[in-house]
C-alpha cells in the first residue's frame, strides 16, 4: 500500500504543469509582496509612543492629528496607529452600530482595550484569505483533476480495476497521494509567504496581541467582532489548519468529479464551475445573493478562505438547537466529505462506460 501510494504521488508531482504553476505562483507571490511596498515595512517605532491602554488623551491626539493628516503611502504607519486608536476608542464603539448580512446588530464579545503593533500578522492572515485560496484552487485542479480521468483517457482504468489491487486499495492510494500533495502545496506556499513577510517587516511583532486588533491594509479589521479569544499567532495556526482541511475537502470533490469525467479537461471545467463560480460571484464580485445566500454561506471556497468562519458570532436554529455558523458549517462539510469519498469509491469501482 505504501509503495502504491508513493507511485501515485510521484505521478501527480511529475506533471510538467505542476512545476510551471508552482514557479509562476511563487514568483507572483514574491513580486507582489516586494513591489507593493518597496523597502523595509517595519513600523514599530511609529507605534511605540502610543502602545498600551487606550486613554482619553490618546484618543484626543488621534482625532486631532487625523483631521489634518491625509492617508498616504509614505506616512501609512503614522496614519495606521492613529486610526487604530480612533476605531477602538470607547466613544467610537459607543456611537457606532454595525450590522451583519442578515441585518442583525453585531455585538462585541471581545473588546480591544489597548493599541499594540501587529501589522505583520495582518499581511500574513490576508495571504490565506485572498491569494492562498486562488493558489490552492489552481494547484488542486492541476494536480488532481487528471487522477482518475487520465486513467479513462489512456484506457487503463479497466486494467487497473481487474488487477489484484485494482479496486479499494488503488482508490485509497490515490486518495492518500492526493492528500499528501495538498499538504505539500499548503506547506510550500504558506512557508514562502511567512518567510517573505518576515524579511519584509524584519520581525513578526505582535504575535501575542488579540485577533480583534489585527488590521488588514491599516484600515480594515476583519475580526473586530469575532467571538473567539485568539492571539494573532494562535489564530494563524487555526487559520492554517482550517485552510488545509478546506483544501483537502476541495481535493476530495475534485477527485470525485475526476472519477466521473472521461478526460482531465472535462474534470477541470466541472470543478471550476462548482467552486470557482460561487467564489467569483460572491467573494470577488461581491454580488448580493438574496435568496441564494445559503450557497454563499456554505460554498466550498469558504473553508479554504477561512476568514468568514471566525468573523462574527452568527447562530442558526436547527431543530430547536442553537448552532454557531462554524459548528453548522463543520457538520455540513463533514457530511459532504463522507458522501464524496464513498461516492468516489463506488464510481471508480463500478463505472464501465466512458465518453
Amino acid at each position: 500500500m505504501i509503495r502504491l501510494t508513493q507511485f501515485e504521488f510521484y505521478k501527480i508531482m511529475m506533471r510538467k504543469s505542476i512545476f510551471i504553476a508552482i514557479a509562476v505562483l511563487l514568483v507572483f507571490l514574491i513580486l507582489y509582496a516586494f513591489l507593493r511596498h518597496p523597502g523595509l515595512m517595519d513600523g514599530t517605532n511609529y507605534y511605540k509612543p502610543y502602545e498600551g491602554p487606550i486613554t482619553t488623551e490618546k484618543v484626543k491626539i488621534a482625532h486631532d492629528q487625523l483631521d489634518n493628516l491625509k492617508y498616504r503611502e509614505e506616512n501609512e504607519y503614522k496614519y495606521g496607529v492613529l486610526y487604530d486608536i480612533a476605531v477602538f476608542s470607547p466613544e467610537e464603539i459607543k456611537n457606532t452600530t454595525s450590522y451583519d448580512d442578515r441585518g442583525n446588530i453585531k455585538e462585541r464579545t471581545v473588546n480591544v482595550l489597548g493599541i499594540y503593533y501587529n501589522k505583520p500578522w495582518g499581511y500574513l492572515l490576508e495571504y490565506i484569505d485572498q491569494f492562498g485560496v486562488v493558489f490552492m484552487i489552481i494547484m488542486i485542479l492541476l494536480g488532481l483533476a487528471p487522477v482518475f480521468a487520465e486513467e479513462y483517457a489512456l484506457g487503463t482504468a479497466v486494467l487497473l480495476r481487474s488487477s489484484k489491487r485494482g479496486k479499494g486499495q488503488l482508490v485509497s492510494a490515490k486518495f492518500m497521494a492526493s492528500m499528501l500533495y495538498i499538504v505539500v502545496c499548503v506547506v510550500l506556499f504558506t512557508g514562502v509567504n511567512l518567510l517573505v513577510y518576515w524579511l519584509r517587516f524584519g520581525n513578526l511583532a505582535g504575535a501575542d496581541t488579540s485577533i480583534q486588533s489585527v488590521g488588514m491594509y491599516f484600515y480594515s479589521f476583519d475580526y473586530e467582532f469575532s467571538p473567539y479569544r485568539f492571539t494573532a499567532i494562535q489564530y494563524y495556526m487555526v487559520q492554517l489548519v482550517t485552510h488545509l482541511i478546506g483544501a483537502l475537502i476541495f481535493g476530495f470533490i475534485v477527485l470525485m468529479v475526476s472519477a466521473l469525467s472521461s478526460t482531465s479537461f472535462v474534470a477541470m471545467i466541472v470543478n471550476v464551475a462548482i467552486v470557482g463560480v460561487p467564489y467569483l460571484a460572491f467573494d470577488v464580485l461581491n454580488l448580493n445573493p438574496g435568496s441564494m445566500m445559503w450557497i454563499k454561506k456554505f460554498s466550498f471556497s469558504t473553508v479554504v478562505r477561512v476568514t468568514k468562519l471566525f468573523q462574527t458570532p452568527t447562530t442558526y436554529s436547527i431543530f430547536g438547537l442553537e448552532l454557531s455558523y462554524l459548528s453548522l458549517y463543520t457538520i455540513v462539510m463533514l457530511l459532504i466529505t463522507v458522501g464524496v469519498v464513498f461516492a468516489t469509491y463506488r464510481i471508480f469501482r463500478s463505472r464501465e462506460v466512458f465518453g
Side-chain angles (χ1 to χ4, degrees):
M1 186 66 180
I2 295 177
R3 292 185 63 184
L4 191 57
T5 301
Q6 291 174 338
F7 176 70
E8 292 295 334
F9 179 70
Y10 178 82
K11 283 170 62 178
I12 295 173
M13 292 300 298
M14 287 301 103
R15 294 192 182 98
K16 291 182 180 179
S17 59
I18 299 299
F19 288 100
I20 294 173
I22 288 176
V24 171
L25 293 175
L26 286 178
V27 168
F28 178 82
L29 174 61
I30 294 170
L31 288 178
Y32 176 82
F34 280 87
L35 295 181
R36 183 182 174 196
H37 292 282
L40 189 65
M41 297 170 64
D42 184 14
T44 52
N45 290 334
Y46 290 92
Y47 276 73
K48 279 182 181 178
Y50 301 97
E51 284 190 336
I54 300 174
T55 63
T56 303
E57 181 183 5
K58 289 180 184 178
V59 174
K60 184 178 185 306
I61 292 174
H63 281 294
D64 289 344
Q65 293 195 36
L66 281 173
D67 290 339
N68 301 313
L69 180 67
K70 299 295 183 181
Y71 174 76
R72 292 190 298 271
E73 195 167 302
E74 62 269 20
N75 58 21
E76 61 185 4
Y77 281 113
K78 185 175 182 181
Y79 180 94
V81 64
L82 298 175
Y83 187 78
D84 290 0
I85 294 172
V87 165
F88 294 110
S89 66
E91 294 83 357
E92 181 70 17
I93 292 174
K94 180 181 178 181
N95 297 325
T96 302
T97 302
S98 298
Y99 300 88
D100 61 22
D101 52 19
R102 296 195 297 179
N104 299 320
I105 295 176
K106 292 195 289 188
E107 305 206 357
R108 302 170 193 271
T109 54
V110 179
N111 290 316
V112 176
L113 303 176
I115 297 299
Y116 301 94
Y117 180 70
N118 54 24
K119 294 307 177 187
W121 294 95
Y123 282 82
L124 289 173
L125 298 179
E126 179 255 354
Y127 158 71
I128 288 180
D129 180 75
Q130 298 294 330
F131 296 109
V133 179
V134 178
F135 290 168
M136 286 312 302
I137 287 177
I138 291 173
M139 295 306 301
I140 291 172
L141 286 174
L142 290 175
L144 305 189
V147 167
F148 290 103
E150 191 175 57
E151 307 290 3
Y152 303 151
L154 296 175
T156 56
V158 176
L159 294 175
L160 289 173
R161 285 207 304 267
S162 64
S163 64
K164 182 180 179 181
R165 301 180 179 180
K167 293 188 177 181
Q169 287 194 38
L170 178 61
V171 178
S172 297
K174 287 182 179 293
F175 265 109
M176 292 174 65
S178 299
M179 292 170 65
L180 181 58
Y181 166 75
I182 291 172
V183 171
V184 169
C185 289
V186 169
V187 171
L188 174 63
F189 285 109
T190 304
V192 170
N193 185 66
L194 184 64
L195 177 62
V196 165
Y197 280 107
W198 176 68
L199 294 174
R200 298 291 286 112
F201 281 94
N203 60 66
L204 294 177
D208 59 345
T209 58
S210 73
I211 186 63
Q212 287 75 15
S213 69
V214 175
M216 313 288 186
Y217 309 113
F218 295 89
Y219 54 79
S220 175
F221 298 90
D222 287 359
Y223 301 95
E224 185 179 352
F225 294 93
S226 174
Y228 302 99
R229 298 179 180 275
F230 293 125
T231 62
I233 192 169
Q234 286 172 343
Y235 178 72
Y236 182 74
M237 298 306 298
V238 170
Q239 184 194 47
L240 180 57
V241 172
T242 307
H243 175 66
L244 173 59
I245 292 171
L248 290 171
I249 294 172
F250 177 46
F252 293 153
I253 294 168
V254 172
L255 289 174
M256 184 186 72
V257 174
S258 179
L260 284 166
S261 304
S262 56
T263 67
S264 300
F265 179 75
V266 172
M268 193 86 67
I269 295 300
V270 174
N271 279 301
V272 167
I274 291 174
V275 181
V277 171
Y279 175 72
L280 178 65
F282 304 137
D283 294 322
V284 178
L285 300 179
N286 293 316
L287 299 181
N288 185 357
S291 61
M292 303 298 286
M293 176 64 75
W294 64 273
I295 296 179
K296 177 180 180 181
K297 284 289 187 180
F298 295 95
S299 67
F300 300 113
S301 63
T302 298
V303 67
V304 186
R305 184 175 178 180
V306 183
T307 304
K308 294 184 183 298
L309 296 174
F310 295 91
Q311 280 185 315
T312 56
T314 306
T315 58
Y316 294 86
S317 181
I318 307 296
F319 302 116
L321 295 175
E322 293 294 323
L323 296 175
S324 68
Y325 173 48
L326 177 60
S327 298
L328 182 58
Y329 189 94
T330 301
I331 293 171
V332 171
M333 287 298 110
L334 179 61
L335 293 174
I336 290 175
T337 301
V338 172
V340 165
V341 172
F342 178 76
T344 304
Y345 273 89
R346 291 296 299 271
I347 291 166
F348 186 73
R349 295 171 68 175
S350 61
R351 187 171 180 182
E352 299 293 342
V353 180
F354 312 103

